Amino acid sequence: MVIKEHCGVVGVWSRDGEAPMIAYRALKLLQHRGQESAGISYLDGEIRTVKGMGLVEEAIDPALLGRSGLAIGHVRYSTTGMGTIDEAQPLSNGAISVAFNGTIPNYYMYGTKTDTEFILKVLSKSGDVRLGLKRLVELADGAYSIVILTTRGELIGFRDPRGFRPLVLGRVGSSYVIASEDSAIRQLGGNDIRDVRPGEVVYIDKYGNVESEVLAQPQGVTTCSFEYIYFARADSVIDGISVYRARVRLGEILAERHYVDADIVVPIPGSSIPIAIGYSRRSRTPLEFALTRTEMARRSFIMPTQEGREIVLVEKFGVVGEAVRGKRVVLIDDSIVRGNTMKHVIRLLRNSGAREIHVRVGSPMIRYPCYMGMDFPRSQELIAHNRTNREIAAEVGADSVEYLTVEEMIEAIGRRDLCHACFTGIYPLKYPQYSLRLGSMLRGWRV
Ligand code: SF4
């Protein structure tokens, strides 16, 4: 499936002036979290920011990065249109630069144009960033993992009290790195990694002294279940739980509770692979990588029209005909949003001679939009909204379709404190989908 997500962040404190380059390398390793724009702010007497559109290597020329002991960086998807350079982060007001991962839907209530601008405004107004963060917790109703750089030479990382998005602290040599995922830090040769706890601020001063404080008591933690199912890298560990292991368990439980007699298991390439491994092992059905994915696929989300998206879909997948001809196939996907990819893949498999196609999905049915940082469409566009398994199977052209239940997903991931709003419609927000409407009513109330 293709879902746009909001962003990856990194913050670096370095003793030897390497912070901007470490941030640059880390952003490349977080590229899966955002491919529309990338940026880095670093401190060189004043805050300097280099940012651009596209992948990290296109957006940032490393030759433009100066040496500095402090830097923050960001990779981004936009939720509206094509995204513009104005929306690219980090966002700086001269004294503070901010990059964040998440969405704060009620920013409208405070008269700013974007949620990033809202964060910057709240933090600046309080003089002291930690006081500003306390105020932000009072005002913001949403998901936010933030990195902040100040002209005083501070690097600050903060995770919202519900812990929607991951954030970790680690070391790379003598440098400190705060990042969205630990896999990026470990790939840089780092270690000493721990999760920033929900509501915790990690504060690093210009001398490299690290302090941590729980600024806001965790308020019923609801970490995004899709980080485990789809978004995060399989080699990441979020809050002590291996993403890879969680995905394998999703597949094992699919095999235990949603088994179908078949000849082969085929994953849709990507996050579904460990889910298919789990299904195959537990059901003793052979695994075949019968679908291939072409490299250009990563850009499919940029296509603004349905026609454009369909052309990209054609270019995206190939089939190993020999592996599927005459076979009964269990087709594994991590999730289904609109169903376009699923329809296309099923057509490909049928044209290649598959005899039966049974879809097994490693997540519950996505029936509601997300207001906490994932770009799901509105309910009416979601294939599972108001449809039964049988109706979905008919719609995508499968012989059968089954999903995990929310309880099964919780069991597989191994933690109960997860957000599941896109499956259940129960939003862990004060002003769920009404926040935007409420915002227009309350405009005029300023921070
Ligand atoms: S609604 Fe779904 S995608 Fe959004 S934060 Fe919750 S679990 Fe994640």
Side-chain angles (χ1 to χ4, degrees):
M1 93 174 157
V2 179
I3 302 176
K4 300 183 230 176
E5 205 229 353
H6 279 238
C7 321
V9 295
V10 65
V12 183
W13 178 91
S14 155
R15 197 181 299 282
D16 48 18
E18 289 296 318
M21 269 318 288
I22 295 173
Y24 176 77
R25 291 172 61 208
L27 286 184
K28 289 206 283 181
L29 304 175
L30 293 169
Q31 186 79 80
H32 61 289
R33 298 186 72 90
Q35 301 178 353
E36 282 192 8
S37 69
I40 290 176
S41 282
Y42 62 96
L43 196 60
D44 179 17
E46 57 187 297
I47 292 174
R48 297 188 187 279
T49 301
V50 178
K51 55 187 173 183
M53 301 304 293
L55 302 176
V56 175
E57 286 185 348
E58 299 159 343
I60 303 170
D61 177 356
L64 297 179
L65 298 172
R67 292 179 63 76
S68 171
L70 280 173
I72 59 170
H74 192 258
V75 283
R76 177 176 200 270
Y77 277 134
S78 74
T79 45
T80 50
M82 302 283 286
T84 66
I85 190 66
D86 294 342
E87 295 165 352
Q89 297 182 38
L91 194 67
S92 167
N93 66 0
I96 296 178
S97 187
V98 170
F100 98 112
N101 172 209
T103 294
I104 302 176
N106 72 325
Y107 72 86
Y108 274 103
M109 294 166 70
Y110 306 106
T112 57
K113 284 207 273 315
T114 65
D115 39 12
T116 323
E117 225 181 282
F118 163 65
I119 293 172
L120 198 60
K121 191 169 170 182
V122 178
L123 296 182
S124 307
K125 199 152 191 177
S126 304
D128 176 286
V129 172
R130 277 186 277 193
L131 285 178
L133 283 170
K134 280 188 180 154
R135 183 74 179 134
L136 184 70
V137 170
E138 288 164 16
L139 299 175
D141 185 28
Y144 44 102
S145 280
I146 309 178
V147 288
I148 304 161
L149 166 69
T150 76
T151 44
R152 292 186 195 165
E154 303 154 306
L155 173 67
I156 295 147
F158 181 68
R159 191 172 175 199
D160 71 68
R162 285 193 171 274
F164 278 108
R165 304 277 151 230
L167 195 66
V168 295
L169 168 68
R171 299 201 71 155
V172 175
S174 60
S175 303
Y176 286 104
V177 179
I178 299 168
S180 292
E181 294 183 40
D182 66 326
S183 51
I185 299 178
R186 278 188 281 105
Q187 212 173 341
L188 289 172
N191 51 24
D192 288 339
I193 295 162
R194 74 168 180 84
D195 293 276
V196 176
R197 292 184 292 275
E200 180 188 7
V201 63
V202 173
Y203 175 92
I204 305 172
D205 72 13
K206 57 182 165 192
Y207 307 107
N209 298 311
V210 182
E211 278 177 37
S212 139
E213 185 187 343
V214 177
L215 268 190
Q217 285 305 324
Q219 301 163 357
V221 171
T222 48
T223 299
C224 172
S225 34
F226 260 103
E227 292 283 349
Y228 292 100
I229 296 166
Y230 171 79
F231 294 120
R233 280 172 45 166
D235 54 341
S236 286
V237 177
I238 301 173
D239 296 329
I241 294 175
S242 152
V243 171
Y244 179 83
R245 187 67 211 133
R247 287 179 191 164
V248 171
R249 281 289 297 150
L250 292 166
E252 288 173 352
I253 292 186
L254 266 178
E256 285 164 17
R257 324 256 168 99
H258 303 274
Y259 175 78
V260 57
D261 197 21
D263 302 312
I264 54 171
V265 179
V266 176
I268 293 188
S271 321
S272 308
I273 290 173
I275 304 174
I277 289 172
Y279 186 98
S280 165
R281 263 190 218 150
R282 187 51 55 98
S283 66
R284 298 178 183 272
T285 312
L287 180 64
E288 295 278 8
F289 290 100
L291 287 165
T292 56
R293 191 177 190 141
T294 53
E295 251 316 290
M296 57 74 62
R298 61 189 179 180
R299 290 309 190 78
S300 64
F301 64 87
I302 288 178
M303 303 307 292
T305 63
Q306 183 62 22
E307 198 189 0
R309 282 196 289 269
E310 274 165 22
I311 291 170
V312 168
L313 265 180
V314 170
E315 292 168 348
K316 192 167 174 179
F317 296 108
V319 185
V320 183
E322 290 72 17
V324 299
R325 201 161 298 130
K327 298 278 170 53
R328 296 169 301 160
V329 175
V330 182
L331 181 62
I332 303 281
D333 204 355
D334 44 65
S335 50
I336 311 181
V337 182
R338 290 185 176 88
N340 294 337
T341 301
M342 185 54 77
K343 274 185 213 166
H344 176 71
V345 166
I346 289 174
R347 216 179 301 133
L348 280 182
L349 290 171
R350 293 231 187 260
N351 291 344
S352 301
R355 186 148 59 93
E356 289 174 24
I357 300 170
H358 300 275
V359 175
R360 293 296 178 270
V361 186
S363 70
M365 297 167 123
I366 301 175
R367 291 182 146 141
Y368 302 92
C370 171
Y371 301 104
M372 286 78 70
M374 303 303 169
D375 186 28
F376 292 152
R378 52 203 184 106
S379 294
Q380 291 76 356
E381 292 174 48
L382 295 166
I383 195 165
H385 189 75
N386 284 338
R387 280 199 183 89
T388 62
N389 283 352
R390 199 182 286 256
E391 288 165 341
I392 295 167
E395 181 72 24
V396 298
D399 292 282
S400 73
V401 173
E402 289 193 25
Y403 294 78
L404 290 176
T405 65
V406 172
E407 275 306 314
E408 288 165 351
M409 175 198 73
I410 287 170
E411 186 183 334
I413 295 174
R415 62 185 286 190
R416 186 154 281 283
D417 53 353
L418 291 169
C419 174
H420 41 68
C422 47
F423 315 122
T424 59
I426 301 165
Y427 290 87
L429 293 175
K430 274 184 264 172
Y431 314 112
Q433 62 267 54
Y434 301 109
S435 55
L436 300 186
R437 197 186 309 165
L438 194 67
S440 60
M441 278 156 46
L442 295 180
R443 207 162 288 173
W445 177 18
R446 301 280 188 267
V447 288

